[in-house]
Short mmCIF file of all heavy atoms in Angstrom, two decimals:
data_model
loop_
_atom_site.label_atom_id
_atom_site.label_comp_id
_atom_site.label_asym_id
_atom_site.label_seq_id
_atom_site.Cartn_x
_atom_site.Cartn_y
_atom_site.Cartn_z
N LYS A 1189 -17.96 -20.31 0.19
CA LYS A 1189 -16.58 -19.93 0.49
C LYS A 1189 -16.55 -19.21 1.84
O LYS A 1189 -17.43 -18.38 2.12
CB LYS A 1189 -16.02 -19.01 -0.60
CG LYS A 1189 -16.08 -19.58 -2.01
CD LYS A 1189 -15.19 -20.80 -2.17
CE LYS A 1189 -15.24 -21.35 -3.59
NZ LYS A 1189 -14.51 -22.62 -3.70
N VAL A 1190 -15.53 -19.51 2.64
CA VAL A 1190 -15.40 -18.91 3.97
C VAL A 1190 -14.02 -18.29 4.11
O VAL A 1190 -13.01 -18.92 3.83
CB VAL A 1190 -15.61 -19.96 5.08
CG1 VAL A 1190 -15.46 -19.32 6.47
CG2 VAL A 1190 -16.99 -20.62 4.95
N ASN A 1191 -13.98 -17.02 4.54
CA ASN A 1191 -12.69 -16.41 4.86
C ASN A 1191 -12.82 -15.46 6.03
O ASN A 1191 -13.92 -15.20 6.52
CB ASN A 1191 -12.07 -15.71 3.63
CG ASN A 1191 -12.81 -14.45 3.21
OD1 ASN A 1191 -13.64 -13.91 3.94
ND2 ASN A 1191 -12.52 -13.97 2.00
N SER A 1192 -11.67 -14.97 6.48
CA SER A 1192 -11.63 -13.97 7.55
C SER A 1192 -10.68 -12.85 7.15
O SER A 1192 -9.49 -13.08 6.97
CB SER A 1192 -11.16 -14.60 8.86
OG SER A 1192 -10.96 -13.60 9.84
N THR A 1193 -11.21 -11.65 7.00
CA THR A 1193 -10.38 -10.49 6.66
C THR A 1193 -9.37 -10.20 7.77
O THR A 1193 -8.33 -9.59 7.52
CB THR A 1193 -11.28 -9.27 6.38
OG1 THR A 1193 -12.24 -9.63 5.36
CG2 THR A 1193 -10.49 -8.08 5.87
N LYS A 1194 -9.66 -10.68 8.99
CA LYS A 1194 -8.74 -10.49 10.11
C LYS A 1194 -7.38 -11.15 9.85
O LYS A 1194 -6.39 -10.80 10.50
CB LYS A 1194 -9.35 -11.05 11.39
CG LYS A 1194 -10.57 -10.28 11.88
CD LYS A 1194 -11.17 -10.92 13.13
CE LYS A 1194 -12.39 -10.15 13.62
NZ LYS A 1194 -13.58 -10.33 12.74
N SER A 1195 -7.32 -12.10 8.91
CA SER A 1195 -6.04 -12.73 8.60
C SER A 1195 -5.06 -11.72 8.02
O SER A 1195 -3.84 -11.96 8.05
CB SER A 1195 -6.24 -13.89 7.62
OG SER A 1195 -6.75 -13.44 6.37
N MET A 1196 -5.56 -10.58 7.51
CA MET A 1196 -4.69 -9.55 6.94
C MET A 1196 -4.60 -8.29 7.78
O MET A 1196 -3.55 -7.67 7.86
CB MET A 1196 -5.17 -9.20 5.53
CG MET A 1196 -4.86 -10.27 4.51
SD MET A 1196 -5.38 -9.82 2.85
CE MET A 1196 -6.67 -11.00 2.60
N VAL A 1197 -5.72 -7.91 8.40
CA VAL A 1197 -5.75 -6.64 9.13
C VAL A 1197 -5.79 -6.81 10.65
O VAL A 1197 -5.86 -5.83 11.38
CB VAL A 1197 -6.94 -5.76 8.68
CG1 VAL A 1197 -6.83 -5.44 7.20
CG2 VAL A 1197 -8.28 -6.40 9.01
N GLY A 1198 -5.71 -8.06 11.12
CA GLY A 1198 -5.87 -8.28 12.54
C GLY A 1198 -7.31 -8.05 12.96
O GLY A 1198 -8.21 -7.91 12.12
N HIS A 1199 -7.52 -7.99 14.27
CA HIS A 1199 -8.87 -7.82 14.80
C HIS A 1199 -9.09 -6.35 15.12
O HIS A 1199 -8.53 -5.82 16.08
CB HIS A 1199 -9.05 -8.68 16.05
CG HIS A 1199 -10.46 -8.80 16.50
ND1 HIS A 1199 -11.48 -7.98 16.01
CD2 HIS A 1199 -11.06 -9.63 17.40
CE1 HIS A 1199 -12.62 -8.32 16.60
NE2 HIS A 1199 -12.39 -9.30 17.44
N LEU A 1200 -9.92 -5.70 14.31
CA LEU A 1200 -10.18 -4.27 14.49
C LEU A 1200 -11.23 -3.98 15.56
O LEU A 1200 -11.70 -2.85 15.68
CB LEU A 1200 -10.59 -3.63 13.15
CG LEU A 1200 -9.44 -3.12 12.27
CD1 LEU A 1200 -8.46 -4.21 11.91
CD2 LEU A 1200 -9.98 -2.47 11.00
N LEU A 1201 -11.60 -5.01 16.32
CA LEU A 1201 -12.51 -4.84 17.46
C LEU A 1201 -13.80 -4.14 17.00
O LEU A 1201 -14.51 -4.66 16.16
CB LEU A 1201 -11.79 -4.10 18.59
CG LEU A 1201 -10.43 -4.71 18.99
CD1 LEU A 1201 -9.70 -3.82 19.99
CD2 LEU A 1201 -10.59 -6.10 19.55
N GLY A 1202 -14.10 -2.96 17.52
CA GLY A 1202 -15.35 -2.29 17.15
C GLY A 1202 -15.42 -1.88 15.69
O GLY A 1202 -16.51 -1.64 15.16
N ALA A 1203 -14.28 -1.80 15.01
CA ALA A 1203 -14.25 -1.43 13.59
C ALA A 1203 -14.34 -2.62 12.66
O ALA A 1203 -14.52 -2.46 11.45
CB ALA A 1203 -12.97 -0.65 13.29
N ALA A 1204 -14.22 -3.84 13.21
CA ALA A 1204 -14.13 -5.04 12.37
C ALA A 1204 -15.32 -5.18 11.43
O ALA A 1204 -15.15 -5.40 10.23
CB ALA A 1204 -14.00 -6.28 13.25
N GLY A 1205 -16.53 -5.06 11.96
CA GLY A 1205 -17.72 -5.25 11.14
C GLY A 1205 -17.82 -4.27 9.98
O GLY A 1205 -18.28 -4.64 8.89
N GLY A 1206 -17.39 -3.04 10.20
CA GLY A 1206 -17.45 -2.04 9.14
C GLY A 1206 -16.51 -2.38 8.00
O GLY A 1206 -16.89 -2.33 6.82
N VAL A 1207 -15.27 -2.73 8.33
CA VAL A 1207 -14.29 -3.07 7.30
C VAL A 1207 -14.68 -4.37 6.61
O VAL A 1207 -14.54 -4.52 5.38
CB VAL A 1207 -12.88 -3.16 7.92
CG1 VAL A 1207 -11.87 -3.74 6.93
CG2 VAL A 1207 -12.43 -1.77 8.39
N GLU A 1208 -15.20 -5.34 7.37
CA GLU A 1208 -15.59 -6.62 6.78
C GLU A 1208 -16.83 -6.49 5.89
O GLU A 1208 -16.97 -7.22 4.91
CB GLU A 1208 -15.76 -7.66 7.89
CG GLU A 1208 -14.41 -8.05 8.49
CD GLU A 1208 -14.46 -8.60 9.90
OE1 GLU A 1208 -15.56 -9.00 10.36
OE2 GLU A 1208 -13.40 -8.63 10.56
N ALA A 1209 -17.71 -5.55 6.20
CA ALA A 1209 -18.84 -5.27 5.31
C ALA A 1209 -18.33 -4.78 3.96
O ALA A 1209 -18.85 -5.17 2.90
CB ALA A 1209 -19.76 -4.22 5.94
N ILE A 1210 -17.29 -3.93 3.99
CA ILE A 1210 -16.70 -3.44 2.74
C ILE A 1210 -16.11 -4.60 1.94
O ILE A 1210 -16.26 -4.68 0.72
CB ILE A 1210 -15.66 -2.35 3.03
CG1 ILE A 1210 -16.36 -1.09 3.56
CG2 ILE A 1210 -14.84 -2.01 1.79
CD1 ILE A 1210 -15.43 -0.04 4.15
N ALA A 1211 -15.45 -5.54 2.64
CA ALA A 1211 -14.90 -6.72 1.96
C ALA A 1211 -16.01 -7.53 1.30
O ALA A 1211 -15.85 -8.01 0.17
CB ALA A 1211 -14.13 -7.58 2.96
N CYS A 1212 -17.15 -7.66 1.97
CA CYS A 1212 -18.30 -8.39 1.39
C CYS A 1212 -18.82 -7.69 0.14
O CYS A 1212 -19.09 -8.32 -0.89
CB CYS A 1212 -19.42 -8.50 2.41
SG CYS A 1212 -19.11 -9.70 3.73
N ILE A 1213 -18.95 -6.37 0.22
CA ILE A 1213 -19.50 -5.60 -0.90
C ILE A 1213 -18.55 -5.65 -2.10
O ILE A 1213 -18.99 -5.84 -3.24
CB ILE A 1213 -19.77 -4.15 -0.44
CG1 ILE A 1213 -20.90 -4.13 0.60
CG2 ILE A 1213 -20.11 -3.26 -1.64
CD1 ILE A 1213 -20.93 -2.87 1.46
N LYS A 1214 -17.26 -5.51 -1.84
CA LYS A 1214 -16.28 -5.60 -2.94
C LYS A 1214 -16.26 -7.01 -3.55
O LYS A 1214 -16.09 -7.17 -4.76
CB LYS A 1214 -14.88 -5.23 -2.43
CG LYS A 1214 -14.73 -3.78 -2.00
CD LYS A 1214 -14.93 -2.78 -3.11
CE LYS A 1214 -13.73 -2.70 -4.02
NZ LYS A 1214 -13.88 -1.62 -5.04
N SER A 1215 -16.46 -8.02 -2.71
CA SER A 1215 -16.51 -9.39 -3.23
C SER A 1215 -17.69 -9.58 -4.17
O SER A 1215 -17.58 -10.26 -5.20
CB SER A 1215 -16.59 -10.39 -2.06
OG SER A 1215 -15.41 -10.36 -1.29
N ILE A 1216 -18.83 -8.98 -3.81
CA ILE A 1216 -20.02 -9.04 -4.67
C ILE A 1216 -19.76 -8.30 -5.98
O ILE A 1216 -20.07 -8.79 -7.07
CB ILE A 1216 -21.24 -8.46 -3.94
CG1 ILE A 1216 -21.67 -9.41 -2.80
CG2 ILE A 1216 -22.39 -8.20 -4.90
CD1 ILE A 1216 -22.70 -8.80 -1.85
N ASN A 1217 -19.16 -7.12 -5.88
CA ASN A 1217 -18.90 -6.31 -7.08
C ASN A 1217 -17.94 -6.99 -8.05
O ASN A 1217 -18.07 -6.84 -9.27
CB ASN A 1217 -18.31 -4.95 -6.68
CG ASN A 1217 -19.28 -4.06 -5.92
OD1 ASN A 1217 -18.87 -3.09 -5.30
ND2 ASN A 1217 -20.57 -4.39 -5.94
N GLU A 1218 -16.97 -7.71 -7.52
CA GLU A 1218 -15.91 -8.26 -8.37
C GLU A 1218 -15.95 -9.78 -8.51
O GLU A 1218 -15.09 -10.36 -9.18
CB GLU A 1218 -14.54 -7.83 -7.82
CG GLU A 1218 -14.36 -6.31 -7.82
CD GLU A 1218 -12.95 -5.87 -7.49
OE1 GLU A 1218 -12.03 -6.70 -7.54
OE2 GLU A 1218 -12.77 -4.67 -7.19
N ASN A 1219 -16.96 -10.42 -7.88
CA ASN A 1219 -17.03 -11.89 -7.90
C ASN A 1219 -15.67 -12.49 -7.54
O ASN A 1219 -15.09 -13.30 -8.27
CB ASN A 1219 -17.49 -12.40 -9.28
CG ASN A 1219 -18.96 -12.07 -9.52
OD1 ASN A 1219 -19.80 -12.32 -8.67
ND2 ASN A 1219 -19.26 -11.51 -10.69
N TYR A 1220 -15.21 -12.08 -6.37
CA TYR A 1220 -13.86 -12.43 -5.93
C TYR A 1220 -13.88 -12.66 -4.43
O TYR A 1220 -14.43 -11.85 -3.68
CB TYR A 1220 -12.91 -11.27 -6.27
CG TYR A 1220 -11.48 -11.43 -5.80
CD1 TYR A 1220 -10.51 -11.98 -6.63
CD2 TYR A 1220 -11.10 -11.01 -4.53
CE1 TYR A 1220 -9.19 -12.12 -6.21
CE2 TYR A 1220 -9.79 -11.14 -4.10
CZ TYR A 1220 -8.84 -11.69 -4.94
OH TYR A 1220 -7.54 -11.82 -4.51
N VAL A 1221 -13.29 -13.75 -3.98
CA VAL A 1221 -13.19 -14.05 -2.55
C VAL A 1221 -11.72 -14.14 -2.17
O VAL A 1221 -10.97 -14.95 -2.73
CB VAL A 1221 -13.92 -15.36 -2.19
CG1 VAL A 1221 -13.74 -15.69 -0.70
CG2 VAL A 1221 -15.41 -15.26 -2.53
N HIS A 1222 -11.31 -13.28 -1.24
CA HIS A 1222 -9.89 -13.24 -0.88
C HIS A 1222 -9.48 -14.45 -0.04
O HIS A 1222 -10.31 -15.13 0.58
CB HIS A 1222 -9.54 -11.92 -0.18
CG HIS A 1222 -10.03 -11.78 1.24
ND1 HIS A 1222 -9.51 -12.50 2.30
CD2 HIS A 1222 -10.98 -10.96 1.79
CE1 HIS A 1222 -10.10 -12.14 3.43
NE2 HIS A 1222 -11.00 -11.22 3.14
N ALA A 1223 -8.19 -14.72 -0.02
CA ALA A 1223 -7.66 -15.85 0.73
C ALA A 1223 -7.63 -15.56 2.23
O ALA A 1223 -7.62 -14.39 2.65
CB ALA A 1223 -6.24 -16.17 0.25
N ASN A 1224 -7.60 -16.62 3.02
CA ASN A 1224 -7.23 -16.50 4.43
C ASN A 1224 -5.71 -16.47 4.46
O ASN A 1224 -5.05 -17.50 4.34
CB ASN A 1224 -7.75 -17.72 5.21
CG ASN A 1224 -9.25 -17.70 5.37
OD1 ASN A 1224 -9.79 -16.93 6.16
ND2 ASN A 1224 -9.94 -18.54 4.61
N ALA A 1225 -5.15 -15.27 4.58
CA ALA A 1225 -3.70 -15.14 4.54
C ALA A 1225 -3.08 -15.95 5.68
O ALA A 1225 -3.54 -15.89 6.82
CB ALA A 1225 -3.30 -13.67 4.68
N GLY A 1226 -2.06 -16.71 5.36
CA GLY A 1226 -1.36 -17.46 6.40
C GLY A 1226 -1.98 -18.80 6.74
O GLY A 1226 -1.44 -19.52 7.58
N LEU A 1227 -3.10 -19.15 6.11
CA LEU A 1227 -3.72 -20.45 6.39
C LEU A 1227 -2.91 -21.54 5.69
O LEU A 1227 -2.89 -21.63 4.47
CB LEU A 1227 -5.17 -20.48 5.92
CG LEU A 1227 -5.91 -21.82 6.09
CD1 LEU A 1227 -5.89 -22.29 7.54
CD2 LEU A 1227 -7.36 -21.69 5.59
N VAL A 1228 -2.24 -22.37 6.48
CA VAL A 1228 -1.38 -23.43 5.94
C VAL A 1228 -1.92 -24.80 6.31
O VAL A 1228 -2.15 -25.65 5.47
CB VAL A 1228 0.08 -23.26 6.46
CG1 VAL A 1228 0.96 -24.39 5.93
CG2 VAL A 1228 0.64 -21.90 6.05
N ASN A 1229 -2.11 -25.01 7.61
CA ASN A 1229 -2.55 -26.31 8.12
C ASN A 1229 -3.98 -26.18 8.66
O ASN A 1229 -4.17 -25.87 9.84
CB ASN A 1229 -1.61 -26.79 9.24
CG ASN A 1229 -0.16 -26.78 8.81
OD1 ASN A 1229 0.18 -27.34 7.77
ND2 ASN A 1229 0.69 -26.14 9.59
N GLN A 1230 -4.97 -26.38 7.79
CA GLN A 1230 -6.36 -26.18 8.22
C GLN A 1230 -6.74 -27.18 9.30
O GLN A 1230 -6.49 -28.38 9.19
CB GLN A 1230 -7.31 -26.30 7.02
CG GLN A 1230 -8.75 -25.89 7.38
CD GLN A 1230 -9.61 -25.74 6.14
OE1 GLN A 1230 -9.12 -25.48 5.05
NE2 GLN A 1230 -10.92 -25.89 6.31
N ASP A 1231 -7.36 -26.65 10.36
CA ASP A 1231 -7.78 -27.48 11.49
C ASP A 1231 -8.94 -28.38 11.05
O ASP A 1231 -9.92 -27.89 10.49
CB ASP A 1231 -8.23 -26.56 12.63
CG ASP A 1231 -8.49 -27.30 13.93
OD1 ASP A 1231 -8.74 -28.52 13.90
OD2 ASP A 1231 -8.47 -26.65 14.99
N PRO A 1232 -8.86 -29.69 11.29
CA PRO A 1232 -9.98 -30.58 10.96
C PRO A 1232 -11.29 -30.16 11.62
O PRO A 1232 -12.37 -30.45 11.10
CB PRO A 1232 -9.51 -31.94 11.48
CG PRO A 1232 -8.02 -31.86 11.51
CD PRO A 1232 -7.70 -30.43 11.83
N GLU A 1233 -11.19 -29.45 12.76
CA GLU A 1233 -12.41 -28.95 13.42
C GLU A 1233 -13.08 -27.86 12.59
O GLU A 1233 -14.27 -27.63 12.71
CB GLU A 1233 -12.07 -28.36 14.80
CG GLU A 1233 -12.08 -29.34 15.94
CD GLU A 1233 -12.05 -28.62 17.29
OE1 GLU A 1233 -11.00 -28.07 17.65
OE2 GLU A 1233 -13.09 -28.60 17.97
#
């Protein structure tokens, strides 16, 4: 499964990795992968 937490919080620049690490850890704890918010027309690329 592939997602981007930036779809909800934008690009936190230097803070991005810290917040995204928390998203990874919570996903492991809850066996849950969040959606790519706003993803409607997935690029074939």
Side-chain angles (χ1 to χ4, degrees):
K1189 304 295 181 187
V1190 179
N1191 69 14
S1192 172
T1193 305
K1194 293 178 180 72
S1195 64
M1196 287 182 247
V1197 299
H1199 192 347
L1200 272 59
L1201 308 173
V1207 171
E1208 289 156 17
I1210 292 168
C1212 286
I1213 293 160
K1214 294 297 283 186
S1215 294
I1216 290 169
N1217 293 164
E1218 298 189 15
N1219 289 312
Y1220 176 93
V1221 177
H1222 73 71
N1224 289 285
L1227 177 56
V1228 178
N1229 307 308
Q1230 189 168 335
D1231 189 338
E1233 272 193 287

